[in-house]
Short mmCIF file of all heavy atoms in Angstrom, two decimals:
data_model
loop_
_atom_site.label_atom_id
_atom_site.label_comp_id
_atom_site.label_asym_id
_atom_site.label_seq_id
_atom_site.Cartn_x
_atom_site.Cartn_y
_atom_site.Cartn_z
N MET J 1 -13.80 -43.79 9.32
CA MET J 1 -13.77 -42.42 9.73
C MET J 1 -12.33 -41.91 9.67
O MET J 1 -11.42 -42.57 10.13
CB MET J 1 -14.33 -42.31 11.15
CG MET J 1 -14.17 -40.95 11.73
SD MET J 1 -14.87 -40.67 13.39
CE MET J 1 -15.06 -42.24 14.11
N SER J 2 -12.13 -40.75 9.10
CA SER J 2 -10.81 -40.15 9.00
C SER J 2 -10.44 -39.43 10.28
O SER J 2 -11.30 -38.92 10.99
CB SER J 2 -10.77 -39.15 7.84
OG SER J 2 -10.97 -39.79 6.62
N LEU J 3 -9.15 -39.40 10.56
CA LEU J 3 -8.62 -38.68 11.70
C LEU J 3 -7.83 -37.49 11.17
O LEU J 3 -6.96 -37.64 10.32
CB LEU J 3 -7.71 -39.59 12.52
CG LEU J 3 -7.12 -39.00 13.79
CD1 LEU J 3 -8.24 -38.69 14.78
CD2 LEU J 3 -6.15 -39.99 14.39
N HIS J 4 -8.15 -36.30 11.64
CA HIS J 4 -7.48 -35.07 11.20
C HIS J 4 -6.48 -34.67 12.27
O HIS J 4 -6.84 -34.48 13.42
CB HIS J 4 -8.51 -33.96 10.99
CG HIS J 4 -9.54 -34.33 9.97
ND1 HIS J 4 -10.64 -35.11 10.30
CD2 HIS J 4 -9.63 -34.07 8.66
CE1 HIS J 4 -11.36 -35.29 9.21
NE2 HIS J 4 -10.77 -34.68 8.21
N ARG J 5 -5.22 -34.57 11.87
CA ARG J 5 -4.14 -34.31 12.82
C ARG J 5 -3.45 -33.01 12.47
O ARG J 5 -3.12 -32.76 11.31
CB ARG J 5 -3.14 -35.45 12.80
CG ARG J 5 -1.97 -35.25 13.76
CD ARG J 5 -1.03 -36.43 13.72
NE ARG J 5 -1.70 -37.60 14.28
CZ ARG J 5 -1.34 -38.84 14.05
NH1 ARG J 5 -0.32 -39.10 13.26
NH2 ARG J 5 -1.99 -39.85 14.59
N VAL J 6 -3.21 -32.18 13.49
CA VAL J 6 -2.43 -30.97 13.34
C VAL J 6 -1.21 -31.12 14.25
O VAL J 6 -1.35 -31.44 15.42
CB VAL J 6 -3.24 -29.70 13.70
CG1 VAL J 6 -2.37 -28.46 13.56
CG2 VAL J 6 -4.49 -29.59 12.83
N THR J 7 -0.02 -30.91 13.68
CA THR J 7 1.22 -31.08 14.42
C THR J 7 2.01 -29.78 14.40
O THR J 7 2.19 -29.18 13.34
CB THR J 7 2.07 -32.20 13.79
OG1 THR J 7 1.30 -33.40 13.76
CG2 THR J 7 3.33 -32.45 14.59
N LEU J 8 2.48 -29.35 15.56
CA LEU J 8 3.29 -28.15 15.71
C LEU J 8 4.65 -28.57 16.21
O LEU J 8 4.77 -29.24 17.23
CB LEU J 8 2.61 -27.21 16.72
CG LEU J 8 3.41 -26.03 17.25
CD1 LEU J 8 3.73 -25.05 16.13
CD2 LEU J 8 2.64 -25.34 18.36
N ARG J 9 5.68 -28.23 15.46
CA ARG J 9 7.06 -28.56 15.85
C ARG J 9 7.80 -27.23 16.00
O ARG J 9 7.74 -26.39 15.11
CB ARG J 9 7.71 -29.45 14.80
CG ARG J 9 8.99 -30.07 15.26
CD ARG J 9 9.56 -31.03 14.22
NE ARG J 9 8.85 -32.26 14.10
CZ ARG J 9 9.04 -33.35 14.85
NH1 ARG J 9 9.92 -33.30 15.80
NH2 ARG J 9 8.36 -34.44 14.65
N PHE J 10 8.50 -27.05 17.11
CA PHE J 10 9.13 -25.78 17.41
C PHE J 10 10.51 -25.61 16.80
O PHE J 10 11.11 -24.55 16.90
CB PHE J 10 9.20 -25.58 18.92
CG PHE J 10 7.83 -25.42 19.54
CD1 PHE J 10 7.21 -26.49 20.15
CD2 PHE J 10 7.17 -24.22 19.47
CE1 PHE J 10 5.95 -26.36 20.71
CE2 PHE J 10 5.90 -24.07 20.01
CZ PHE J 10 5.30 -25.15 20.63
N SER J 11 11.03 -26.62 16.13
CA SER J 11 12.35 -26.57 15.52
C SER J 11 12.42 -27.64 14.44
O SER J 11 11.64 -28.58 14.45
CB SER J 11 13.42 -26.82 16.59
OG SER J 11 14.67 -27.06 16.02
N ASP J 12 13.37 -27.50 13.53
CA ASP J 12 13.55 -28.50 12.48
C ASP J 12 14.31 -29.73 12.97
O ASP J 12 14.42 -30.72 12.26
CB ASP J 12 14.29 -27.91 11.29
CG ASP J 12 13.43 -26.93 10.52
OD1 ASP J 12 12.19 -27.03 10.62
OD2 ASP J 12 13.98 -26.07 9.81
N GLU J 13 14.85 -29.69 14.17
CA GLU J 13 15.62 -30.81 14.71
C GLU J 13 14.70 -32.01 14.95
O GLU J 13 13.56 -31.86 15.38
CB GLU J 13 16.32 -30.41 16.00
CG GLU J 13 17.33 -29.30 15.79
CD GLU J 13 17.97 -28.88 17.10
OE1 GLU J 13 17.96 -29.67 18.06
OE2 GLU J 13 18.47 -27.75 17.15
N ALA J 14 15.21 -33.20 14.71
CA ALA J 14 14.40 -34.42 14.82
C ALA J 14 13.84 -34.63 16.22
O ALA J 14 12.75 -35.15 16.38
CB ALA J 14 15.24 -35.62 14.40
N ASP J 15 14.58 -34.23 17.25
CA ASP J 15 14.13 -34.45 18.62
C ASP J 15 13.48 -33.21 19.23
O ASP J 15 13.33 -33.11 20.44
CB ASP J 15 15.29 -34.93 19.49
CG ASP J 15 16.43 -33.91 19.56
OD1 ASP J 15 16.43 -32.95 18.76
OD2 ASP J 15 17.31 -34.08 20.41
N ALA J 16 13.05 -32.28 18.39
CA ALA J 16 12.45 -31.03 18.87
C ALA J 16 11.11 -31.28 19.54
O ALA J 16 10.42 -32.25 19.23
CB ALA J 16 12.29 -30.05 17.71
N SER J 17 10.75 -30.39 20.44
CA SER J 17 9.44 -30.48 21.09
C SER J 17 8.35 -30.43 20.05
O SER J 17 8.45 -29.73 19.04
CB SER J 17 9.26 -29.32 22.06
OG SER J 17 10.22 -29.37 23.07
N MET J 18 7.27 -31.17 20.30
CA MET J 18 6.18 -31.25 19.33
C MET J 18 4.86 -31.33 20.08
O MET J 18 4.76 -31.94 21.14
CB MET J 18 6.37 -32.48 18.45
CG MET J 18 5.35 -32.63 17.37
SD MET J 18 5.73 -33.99 16.23
CE MET J 18 5.61 -35.41 17.27
N VAL J 19 3.85 -30.68 19.50
CA VAL J 19 2.49 -30.74 20.03
C VAL J 19 1.62 -31.31 18.92
O VAL J 19 1.72 -30.88 17.77
CB VAL J 19 1.99 -29.34 20.43
CG1 VAL J 19 0.54 -29.38 20.89
CG2 VAL J 19 2.88 -28.73 21.49
N THR J 20 0.76 -32.27 19.23
CA THR J 20 -0.12 -32.87 18.24
C THR J 20 -1.55 -32.87 18.76
O THR J 20 -1.79 -33.20 19.91
CB THR J 20 0.30 -34.32 17.93
OG1 THR J 20 1.64 -34.31 17.45
CG2 THR J 20 -0.59 -34.94 16.89
N GLY J 21 -2.47 -32.48 17.88
CA GLY J 21 -3.89 -32.57 18.20
C GLY J 21 -4.58 -33.41 17.14
O GLY J 21 -4.19 -33.38 15.97
N GLU J 22 -5.56 -34.19 17.54
CA GLU J 22 -6.28 -35.06 16.61
C GLU J 22 -7.78 -34.87 16.78
O GLU J 22 -8.28 -34.83 17.91
CB GLU J 22 -5.92 -36.52 16.85
CG GLU J 22 -4.46 -36.81 16.59
CD GLU J 22 -4.09 -38.24 16.90
OE1 GLU J 22 -4.81 -38.91 17.67
OE2 GLU J 22 -3.07 -38.70 16.37
N TRP J 23 -8.50 -34.76 15.65
CA TRP J 23 -9.93 -34.56 15.67
C TRP J 23 -10.58 -35.41 14.59
O TRP J 23 -9.97 -35.72 13.58
CB TRP J 23 -10.27 -33.09 15.40
CG TRP J 23 -9.72 -32.18 16.45
CD1 TRP J 23 -10.34 -31.78 17.58
CD2 TRP J 23 -8.43 -31.58 16.47
NE1 TRP J 23 -9.52 -30.95 18.31
CE2 TRP J 23 -8.34 -30.82 17.66
CE3 TRP J 23 -7.32 -31.61 15.62
CZ2 TRP J 23 -7.21 -30.09 18.00
CZ3 TRP J 23 -6.19 -30.89 15.97
CH2 TRP J 23 -6.15 -30.14 17.15
N THR J 24 -11.83 -35.75 14.78
CA THR J 24 -12.58 -36.49 13.76
C THR J 24 -13.27 -35.54 12.79
O THR J 24 -13.69 -35.98 11.73
CB THR J 24 -13.62 -37.42 14.40
OG1 THR J 24 -14.47 -36.65 15.25
CG2 THR J 24 -12.94 -38.53 15.19
N THR J 25 -13.37 -34.27 13.14
CA THR J 25 -13.99 -33.29 12.24
C THR J 25 -12.94 -32.39 11.61
O THR J 25 -12.08 -31.84 12.32
CB THR J 25 -15.04 -32.42 12.96
OG1 THR J 25 -14.40 -31.73 14.03
CG2 THR J 25 -16.18 -33.25 13.51
N GLU J 26 -13.01 -32.25 10.30
CA GLU J 26 -12.03 -31.42 9.58
C GLU J 26 -12.13 -29.96 10.01
O GLU J 26 -11.11 -29.28 10.13
CB GLU J 26 -12.25 -31.54 8.07
CG GLU J 26 -11.25 -30.71 7.29
CD GLU J 26 -11.39 -30.85 5.79
OE1 GLU J 26 -12.19 -31.68 5.32
OE2 GLU J 26 -10.68 -30.13 5.08
N GLU J 27 -13.32 -29.47 10.22
CA GLU J 27 -13.51 -28.06 10.58
C GLU J 27 -12.74 -27.69 11.86
O GLU J 27 -12.08 -26.65 11.92
CB GLU J 27 -14.99 -27.75 10.76
CG GLU J 27 -15.26 -26.30 11.09
CD GLU J 27 -16.74 -26.02 11.26
OE1 GLU J 27 -17.58 -26.85 10.87
OE2 GLU J 27 -17.06 -24.94 11.78
N THR J 28 -12.81 -28.55 12.86
CA THR J 28 -12.09 -28.29 14.11
C THR J 28 -10.59 -28.30 13.88
O THR J 28 -9.87 -27.43 14.38
CB THR J 28 -12.47 -29.34 15.17
OG1 THR J 28 -13.88 -29.31 15.35
CG2 THR J 28 -11.77 -29.07 16.49
N ALA J 29 -10.09 -29.26 13.12
CA ALA J 29 -8.66 -29.35 12.84
C ALA J 29 -8.19 -28.14 12.04
O ALA J 29 -7.14 -27.56 12.32
CB ALA J 29 -8.34 -30.63 12.09
N ARG J 30 -8.95 -27.74 11.04
CA ARG J 30 -8.58 -26.58 10.21
C ARG J 30 -8.57 -25.30 11.04
O ARG J 30 -7.68 -24.46 10.90
CB ARG J 30 -9.51 -26.44 9.01
CG ARG J 30 -9.01 -25.45 8.01
CD ARG J 30 -9.73 -25.54 6.69
NE ARG J 30 -9.46 -26.75 5.96
CZ ARG J 30 -8.36 -26.99 5.26
NH1 ARG J 30 -7.40 -26.10 5.22
NH2 ARG J 30 -8.23 -28.12 4.61
N THR J 31 -9.54 -25.13 11.93
CA THR J 31 -9.58 -23.96 12.81
C THR J 31 -8.35 -23.94 13.71
O THR J 31 -7.73 -22.88 13.91
CB THR J 31 -10.87 -23.96 13.65
OG1 THR J 31 -11.98 -23.90 12.77
CG2 THR J 31 -10.91 -22.80 14.62
N THR J 32 -7.99 -25.09 14.26
CA THR J 32 -6.80 -25.18 15.11
C THR J 32 -5.54 -24.87 14.31
O THR J 32 -4.66 -24.15 14.80
CB THR J 32 -6.70 -26.58 15.74
OG1 THR J 32 -7.89 -26.81 16.51
CG2 THR J 32 -5.48 -26.71 16.64
N PHE J 33 -5.44 -25.40 13.09
CA PHE J 33 -4.30 -25.13 12.22
C PHE J 33 -4.13 -23.62 12.04
O PHE J 33 -3.05 -23.08 12.25
CB PHE J 33 -4.51 -25.83 10.87
CG PHE J 33 -3.43 -25.56 9.86
CD1 PHE J 33 -2.20 -26.18 9.94
CD2 PHE J 33 -3.67 -24.69 8.80
CE1 PHE J 33 -1.22 -25.94 8.99
CE2 PHE J 33 -2.70 -24.45 7.84
CZ PHE J 33 -1.47 -25.08 7.95
N ARG J 34 -5.20 -22.92 11.70
CA ARG J 34 -5.12 -21.47 11.49
C ARG J 34 -4.79 -20.74 12.80
O ARG J 34 -4.01 -19.78 12.80
CB ARG J 34 -6.43 -20.95 10.92
CG ARG J 34 -6.63 -21.35 9.47
CD ARG J 34 -7.79 -20.62 8.82
NE ARG J 34 -9.06 -20.91 9.48
CZ ARG J 34 -9.99 -21.74 9.02
NH1 ARG J 34 -9.79 -22.38 7.89
NH2 ARG J 34 -11.10 -21.94 9.68
N ARG J 35 -5.36 -21.18 13.89
CA ARG J 35 -5.08 -20.56 15.19
C ARG J 35 -3.61 -20.71 15.55
O ARG J 35 -2.98 -19.77 16.04
CB ARG J 35 -5.97 -21.18 16.26
CG ARG J 35 -5.85 -20.49 17.61
CD ARG J 35 -6.80 -21.06 18.65
NE ARG J 35 -8.18 -20.91 18.21
CZ ARG J 35 -9.08 -21.90 18.25
NH1 ARG J 35 -8.75 -23.09 18.70
NH2 ARG J 35 -10.31 -21.69 17.84
N TRP J 36 -3.05 -21.91 15.34
CA TRP J 36 -1.65 -22.12 15.67
C TRP J 36 -0.73 -21.29 14.78
O TRP J 36 0.32 -20.83 15.23
CB TRP J 36 -1.30 -23.60 15.58
CG TRP J 36 -1.84 -24.41 16.73
CD1 TRP J 36 -2.62 -23.95 17.77
CD2 TRP J 36 -1.65 -25.78 16.97
NE1 TRP J 36 -2.92 -24.97 18.62
CE2 TRP J 36 -2.35 -26.11 18.16
CE3 TRP J 36 -0.99 -26.79 16.29
CZ2 TRP J 36 -2.36 -27.40 18.69
CZ3 TRP J 36 -1.01 -28.08 16.81
CH2 TRP J 36 -1.68 -28.37 17.99
N ILE J 37 -1.11 -21.07 13.52
CA ILE J 37 -0.32 -20.17 12.67
C ILE J 37 -0.30 -18.78 13.28
O ILE J 37 0.75 -18.13 13.36
CB ILE J 37 -0.87 -20.13 11.23
CG1 ILE J 37 -0.61 -21.45 10.53
CG2 ILE J 37 -0.23 -18.98 10.44
CD1 ILE J 37 -1.30 -21.57 9.18
N GLY J 38 -1.45 -18.30 13.74
CA GLY J 38 -1.52 -16.99 14.37
C GLY J 38 -0.69 -16.91 15.64
O GLY J 38 -0.08 -15.87 15.92
N LEU J 39 -0.64 -17.98 16.40
CA LEU J 39 0.10 -17.97 17.66
C LEU J 39 1.60 -18.19 17.48
O LEU J 39 2.42 -17.59 18.17
CB LEU J 39 -0.43 -19.06 18.59
CG LEU J 39 -1.82 -18.81 19.19
CD1 LEU J 39 -2.32 -20.06 19.91
CD2 LEU J 39 -1.79 -17.62 20.12
N TYR J 40 1.99 -19.07 16.55
CA TYR J 40 3.38 -19.50 16.45
C TYR J 40 4.02 -19.27 15.09
O TYR J 40 5.20 -19.56 14.90
CB TYR J 40 3.49 -21.00 16.79
CG TYR J 40 2.87 -21.35 18.11
CD1 TYR J 40 1.65 -22.04 18.18
CD2 TYR J 40 3.48 -20.98 19.30
CE1 TYR J 40 1.07 -22.36 19.40
CE2 TYR J 40 2.90 -21.30 20.53
CZ TYR J 40 1.70 -21.98 20.57
OH TYR J 40 1.13 -22.28 21.77
N GLY J 41 3.27 -18.76 14.13
CA GLY J 41 3.75 -18.66 12.76
C GLY J 41 4.86 -17.67 12.51
O GLY J 41 5.51 -17.71 11.47
N SER J 42 5.13 -16.77 13.43
CA SER J 42 6.19 -15.79 13.21
C SER J 42 7.55 -16.28 13.70
O SER J 42 8.56 -15.62 13.51
CB SER J 42 5.85 -14.47 13.89
OG SER J 42 5.74 -14.66 15.29
N GLY J 43 7.58 -17.43 14.35
CA GLY J 43 8.84 -17.97 14.87
C GLY J 43 9.39 -19.05 13.96
O GLY J 43 9.14 -19.08 12.75
N MET J 44 10.13 -19.96 14.53
CA MET J 44 10.77 -21.05 13.79
C MET J 44 9.87 -22.28 13.68
O MET J 44 10.28 -23.33 13.21
CB MET J 44 12.07 -21.46 14.48
CG MET J 44 13.12 -20.38 14.51
SD MET J 44 13.70 -19.96 12.86
CE MET J 44 14.44 -21.48 12.36
N ALA J 45 8.63 -22.19 14.12
CA ALA J 45 7.72 -23.33 14.16
C ALA J 45 7.31 -23.79 12.77
O ALA J 45 7.22 -22.99 11.83
CB ALA J 45 6.47 -22.99 14.97
N THR J 46 7.05 -25.08 12.63
CA THR J 46 6.43 -25.64 11.43
C THR J 46 5.14 -26.32 11.88
O THR J 46 5.08 -26.95 12.93
CB THR J 46 7.34 -26.66 10.71
OG1 THR J 46 7.69 -27.70 11.62
CG2 THR J 46 8.59 -25.99 10.19
N ILE J 47 4.11 -26.16 11.07
CA ILE J 47 2.80 -26.69 11.41
C ILE J 47 2.29 -27.51 10.23
O ILE J 47 2.36 -27.05 9.09
CB ILE J 47 1.82 -25.54 11.74
CG1 ILE J 47 2.42 -24.65 12.85
CG2 ILE J 47 0.47 -26.08 12.17
CD1 ILE J 47 1.73 -23.32 13.02
N ARG J 48 1.80 -28.72 10.50
CA ARG J 48 1.28 -29.60 9.46
C ARG J 48 -0.16 -29.99 9.77
O ARG J 48 -0.49 -30.26 10.92
CB ARG J 48 2.11 -30.88 9.37
CG ARG J 48 3.50 -30.69 8.86
CD ARG J 48 4.32 -31.95 8.99
NE ARG J 48 3.77 -33.08 8.30
CZ ARG J 48 4.21 -33.54 7.12
NH1 ARG J 48 5.20 -32.94 6.53
NH2 ARG J 48 3.66 -34.59 6.58
N PHE J 49 -0.96 -30.05 8.72
CA PHE J 49 -2.34 -30.50 8.83
C PHE J 49 -2.44 -31.74 7.95
O PHE J 49 -2.21 -31.69 6.75
CB PHE J 49 -3.28 -29.39 8.35
CG PHE J 49 -4.74 -29.75 8.33
CD1 PHE J 49 -5.25 -30.82 9.05
CD2 PHE J 49 -5.63 -29.00 7.61
CE1 PHE J 49 -6.60 -31.13 9.04
CE2 PHE J 49 -6.99 -29.29 7.57
CZ PHE J 49 -7.46 -30.35 8.28
N GLU J 50 -2.73 -32.89 8.56
CA GLU J 50 -2.77 -34.17 7.86
C GLU J 50 -4.11 -34.86 8.08
O GLU J 50 -4.76 -34.64 9.10
CB GLU J 50 -1.68 -35.10 8.39
CG GLU J 50 -0.28 -34.54 8.33
CD GLU J 50 0.72 -35.41 9.07
OE1 GLU J 50 0.31 -36.21 9.94
OE2 GLU J 50 1.90 -35.27 8.78
N VAL J 51 -4.46 -35.71 7.12
CA VAL J 51 -5.64 -36.56 7.27
C VAL J 51 -5.16 -38.01 7.21
O VAL J 51 -4.44 -38.39 6.29
CB VAL J 51 -6.68 -36.30 6.16
CG1 VAL J 51 -7.83 -37.28 6.28
CG2 VAL J 51 -7.19 -34.87 6.22
N HIS J 52 -5.54 -38.78 8.22
CA HIS J 52 -5.18 -40.20 8.31
C HIS J 52 -6.46 -41.00 8.08
O HIS J 52 -7.39 -40.93 8.88
CB HIS J 52 -4.58 -40.51 9.67
CG HIS J 52 -3.33 -39.75 9.94
ND1 HIS J 52 -2.08 -40.27 9.72
CD2 HIS J 52 -3.13 -38.49 10.37
CE1 HIS J 52 -1.17 -39.37 10.02
NE2 HIS J 52 -1.79 -38.27 10.42
N ASP J 53 -6.49 -41.77 6.99
CA ASP J 53 -7.67 -42.55 6.64
C ASP J 53 -7.63 -43.93 7.29
O ASP J 53 -6.59 -44.40 7.73
CB ASP J 53 -7.80 -42.69 5.13
CG ASP J 53 -8.25 -41.39 4.47
OD1 ASP J 53 -9.05 -40.67 5.09
OD2 ASP J 53 -7.80 -41.10 3.35
N ASP J 54 -8.78 -44.57 7.31
CA ASP J 54 -8.91 -45.90 7.90
C ASP J 54 -8.01 -46.93 7.24
O ASP J 54 -7.61 -47.91 7.86
CB ASP J 54 -10.36 -46.38 7.83
CG ASP J 54 -11.28 -45.55 8.71
OD1 ASP J 54 -10.79 -44.95 9.69
OD2 ASP J 54 -12.49 -45.51 8.42
N ASP J 55 -7.69 -46.73 5.96
CA ASP J 55 -6.85 -47.69 5.25
C ASP J 55 -5.36 -47.53 5.55
O ASP J 55 -4.53 -48.23 5.00
CB ASP J 55 -7.09 -47.61 3.74
CG ASP J 55 -6.67 -46.28 3.12
OD1 ASP J 55 -6.13 -45.40 3.85
OD2 ASP J 55 -6.88 -46.10 1.91
N GLY J 56 -5.02 -46.58 6.44
CA GLY J 56 -3.64 -46.38 6.84
C GLY J 56 -2.91 -45.31 6.05
O GLY J 56 -1.77 -44.98 6.36
N SER J 57 -3.55 -44.76 5.03
CA SER J 57 -2.90 -43.72 4.23
C SER J 57 -2.95 -42.37 4.94
O SER J 57 -3.85 -42.11 5.74
CB SER J 57 -3.56 -43.61 2.85
OG SER J 57 -4.90 -43.19 2.98
N THR J 58 -1.95 -41.54 4.65
CA THR J 58 -1.87 -40.20 5.21
C THR J 58 -1.70 -39.20 4.09
O THR J 58 -0.89 -39.41 3.19
CB THR J 58 -0.67 -40.08 6.17
OG1 THR J 58 -0.83 -41.02 7.22
CG2 THR J 58 -0.53 -38.69 6.74
N VAL J 59 -2.47 -38.12 4.15
CA VAL J 59 -2.39 -37.05 3.15
C VAL J 59 -2.08 -35.76 3.90
O VAL J 59 -2.78 -35.40 4.85
CB VAL J 59 -3.71 -36.90 2.38
CG1 VAL J 59 -3.65 -35.72 1.43
CG2 VAL J 59 -4.04 -38.17 1.64
N VAL J 60 -1.01 -35.06 3.47
CA VAL J 60 -0.70 -33.75 4.02
C VAL J 60 -1.59 -32.74 3.32
O VAL J 60 -1.50 -32.57 2.11
CB VAL J 60 0.79 -33.40 3.85
CG1 VAL J 60 1.07 -31.99 4.37
CG2 VAL J 60 1.67 -34.43 4.57
N VAL J 61 -2.47 -32.10 4.07
CA VAL J 61 -3.44 -31.16 3.52
C VAL J 61 -2.83 -29.77 3.39
O VAL J 61 -3.02 -29.09 2.39
CB VAL J 61 -4.72 -31.12 4.38
CG1 VAL J 61 -5.70 -30.09 3.87
CG2 VAL J 61 -5.35 -32.49 4.48
N ASP J 62 -2.08 -29.34 4.40
CA ASP J 62 -1.53 -28.00 4.40
C ASP J 62 -0.32 -27.96 5.34
O ASP J 62 -0.23 -28.76 6.27
CB ASP J 62 -2.57 -26.99 4.87
CG ASP J 62 -2.40 -25.61 4.27
OD1 ASP J 62 -1.34 -25.34 3.67
OD2 ASP J 62 -3.35 -24.81 4.39
N THR J 63 0.59 -27.02 5.09
CA THR J 63 1.75 -26.82 5.96
C THR J 63 2.00 -25.33 6.13
O THR J 63 1.61 -24.52 5.28
CB THR J 63 3.02 -27.47 5.38
OG1 THR J 63 3.32 -26.89 4.14
CG2 THR J 63 2.89 -28.97 5.25
N TRP J 64 2.66 -24.98 7.24
CA TRP J 64 3.11 -23.60 7.46
C TRP J 64 4.51 -23.68 8.01
O TRP J 64 4.75 -24.40 8.96
CB TRP J 64 2.21 -22.89 8.47
CG TRP J 64 2.70 -21.50 8.72
CD1 TRP J 64 3.55 -21.09 9.71
CD2 TRP J 64 2.40 -20.36 7.93
NE1 TRP J 64 3.78 -19.76 9.57
CE2 TRP J 64 3.09 -19.29 8.50
CE3 TRP J 64 1.63 -20.15 6.79
CZ2 TRP J 64 3.02 -18.01 7.97
CZ3 TRP J 64 1.56 -18.89 6.27
CH2 TRP J 64 2.24 -17.84 6.85
N PRO J 65 5.46 -22.99 7.44
CA PRO J 65 5.32 -22.27 6.18
C PRO J 65 5.06 -23.22 5.03
O PRO J 65 5.30 -24.41 5.13
CB PRO J 65 6.65 -21.55 6.01
CG PRO J 65 7.60 -22.15 6.99
CD PRO J 65 6.80 -22.89 8.01
N ALA J 66 4.55 -22.68 3.95
CA ALA J 66 4.07 -23.48 2.84
C ALA J 66 5.15 -24.36 2.22
O ALA J 66 4.85 -25.38 1.64
CB ALA J 66 3.46 -22.57 1.76
N SER J 67 6.40 -24.01 2.35
CA SER J 67 7.49 -24.76 1.70
C SER J 67 7.96 -25.96 2.49
O SER J 67 8.84 -26.67 2.03
CB SER J 67 8.68 -23.83 1.44
OG SER J 67 9.16 -23.33 2.68
N THR J 68 7.39 -26.25 3.66
CA THR J 68 7.90 -27.39 4.45
C THR J 68 7.22 -28.68 4.05
O THR J 68 6.16 -28.72 3.54
CB THR J 68 7.68 -27.17 5.97
OG1 THR J 68 6.30 -27.02 6.22
CG2 THR J 68 8.50 -26.03 6.47
#
């Protein structure tokens, strides 16, 4: 079973505050990703949507802003 993770970082600094949510359903993670863009996307925040597979691999599905 894949784990869908959405991470919100409030600054580019390595020790910046971070919020992470994890879900087993992609739909819930994608909805959260879009919601967090609406809430925090106009500031300095970066948001990542990743999928972590059982084999240990990680795929970045989407980021905001898109260039991060």
Side-chain angles (χ1 to χ4, degrees):
M1 172 177 20
S2 296
L3 183 65
H4 301 82
R5 180 178 292 159
V6 179
T7 303
L8 167 65
R9 193 176 287 275
F10 294 99
S11 167
D12 289 337
E13 297 177 22
D15 61 347
S17 298
M18 183 173 65
V19 176
T20 301
E22 297 177 339
W23 298 269
T24 55
T25 59
E26 181 177 355
E27 181 180 346
T28 303
R30 191 166 292 282
T31 298
T32 302
F33 177 76
R34 288 191 299 258
R35 186 176 300 132
W36 286 3
I37 290 171
L39 289 171
Y40 306 107
S42 62
M44 297 295 296
T46 57
I47 305 166
R48 292 172 58 103
F49 177 19
E50 305 171 339
V51 176
H52 299 263
D53 286 325
D54 292 336
D55 65 2
S57 65
T58 300
V59 175
V60 177
V61 176
D62 210 347
T63 61
W64 179 266
S67 61
T68 60

